[in-house]
Amino acid sequence: MTEAVEATRRTPGTPCWASLMVHSLGNTEEFYTDLFGWEYEPGPEQLGKYVRAMLDGQEVAGIGEMPPDRHLPVAWTTYIATDDADATAESIRSCGGTVAVGPLDAGIAGRVAICSDPLGAVFGLWQADTHLGTGMQGAPGTPVWHELVTQDTSTVGKFYEHVFGHEALAHPTASADFDYLTLLLQGRPVAAVHGVGRSLPHDRGPHWMTYFEVEDTDAAAAKVVRLGGRVVQPPREGLSGRLATVADPEGAVFTLVRSRR
C-alpha cells in the first residue's frame, strides 16, 4: 500500500495532500505533536491562519483555523492532484459533483479547490506550482492511504474514473457483503472506494478517510485517548494492516495503520 502511493503520489489523479480545518489551532497542534511528533511552519498567507506539519524537515499535512463565525464540520480533507484545477472543476460539475470553493490561487502552493462527489463526499483539488505536496511518505506520522467511505461503489466509482482517469477495480475478495474498489492509475493503486451501505455513519455521511502510518496501532490508539481524543473503531486487522479508527479532540476522524511490509 505505502510503496504504491509513494511511487505515484504527485501524478494527476493521486491523493497528494491532507488538510484539516479546526476551531483551535494551538490545541490541535499540540495533539498531533504529541501523537505523531509533528513540528510546524507557517503556510501560504492566502489560506489565513494555516500551518504546515513537518517531520524531519519534510511537509506531511496542513492544519488551519476556521474564522470564529464559521461552524463547519471538523474533518480531514483529502486533496487530489491535477495539472489543471479549472478544467478538473468543470469536469466535476459535468459529472454530477459540486465545486464549493475555488479554484483559487494559494501563492506558491499553486491552485486549489474544494469539491464534493455526487454522493456528497468532500475532497480537494490541488494544482501544484513550486510546492510539490507531501515531502515524505511511509514513515510513522505520515499519511499513507486515502479511502472513500460511501453508500455503494457503483455510481461514485464511475465518477472518479471519468474525472481523474482512475481504473476502478473490484477487490479480489469483493462480494455482495464486501463492496470495495481499488482506484488505479497506470496499474498502481492510489486510493480505494468502500461501499458500506446502511452502515455509513449518519453523523458524517460519505467521506474520504485519511490513513496515518504508526509503529504500533494499539499503542497509538491508546495514546489518542490519553491526549483527549477517542477511539471510533478499536484496533483490528484490515486489508492493509492493523487499523484503528480514531478522532482527535475536535472530532476529526482518521485511521491509524501499521502497514504490512
Side-chain angles (χ1 to χ4, degrees):
M1 178 180 72
T2 305
E3 290 76 7
V5 175
E6 285 184 38
T8 61
R9 179 166 292 272
R10 296 180 183 90
T11 303
T14 62
C16 61
W17 189 246
S19 186
L20 175 64
M21 296 299 291
V22 299
H23 299 293
S24 175
L25 181 57
N27 290 338
T28 301
E29 286 178 311
E30 290 180 10
F31 171 84
Y32 286 101
T33 293
D34 290 342
L35 182 61
F36 293 140
W38 289 354
E39 298 178 339
Y40 304 95
E41 292 187 359
E45 293 180 2
Q46 292 87 343
L47 299 181
K49 198 172 182 180
Y50 189 89
V51 297
R52 296 170 295 152
M54 315 288 290
L55 268 177
D56 297 327
Q58 300 290 316
E59 298 177 335
V60 295
I63 307 175
E65 185 170 282
M66 299 182 202
D69 58 344
R70 300 295 294 275
H71 300 285
L72 301 174
V74 177
W76 279 99
T77 299
T78 293
Y79 281 73
I80 300 176
T82 176
D83 282 340
D84 189 331
D86 294 84
T88 303
E90 284 303 313
S91 180
I92 287 168
R93 294 187 185 99
S94 67
C95 291
T98 301
V99 180
V101 178
L104 52 83
D105 290 324
I108 63 170
R111 195 159 172 78
V112 298
I114 301 296
C115 313
S116 60
D117 66 30
L119 296 183
V122 174
F123 62 93
L125 295 179
W126 189 354
Q127 176 187 332
D129 190 7
T130 58
H131 180 98
L132 294 177
T134 301
M136 61 186 298
Q137 300 91 39
T142 64
V144 291
W145 189 243
H146 298 265
E147 182 176 287
L148 173 61
V149 183
T150 188
Q151 286 98 332
D152 67 85
T153 64
S154 56
T155 300
V156 78
K158 292 182 176 65
F159 168 84
Y160 288 96
E161 283 185 308
H162 287 306
V163 172
F164 295 108
H166 295 142
E167 176 190 1
L169 186 67
H171 193 271
T173 62
S175 65
D177 298 321
F178 182 58
D179 184 15
Y180 195 93
L181 296 177
T182 302
L183 301 179
L184 300 98
L185 283 174
Q186 302 172 352
R188 293 182 177 274
V190 295
V193 183
H194 188 188
V196 298
R198 294 181 180 179
S199 298
L200 189 70
H202 295 295
D203 59 339
R204 279 184 285 151
H207 59 277
W208 277 91
M209 177 70 74
T210 303
Y211 286 62
F212 290 93
E213 183 77 21
V214 292
E215 293 182 348
D216 185 322
T217 302
D218 297 69
K223 192 170 189 179
V224 166
V225 175
R226 292 198 303 272
L227 295 173
R230 62 187 175 90
V231 173
V232 178
Q233 290 182 285
R236 62 205 183 276
E237 296 301 322
L239 294 176
S240 53
R242 188 157 179 80
L243 314 172
T245 305
V246 298
D248 68 21
E250 287 209 17
V253 177
F254 57 99
T255 294
L256 306 169
V257 58
R258 168 60 175 169
S259 301
R260 299 190 183 98
R261 290 186 170 85

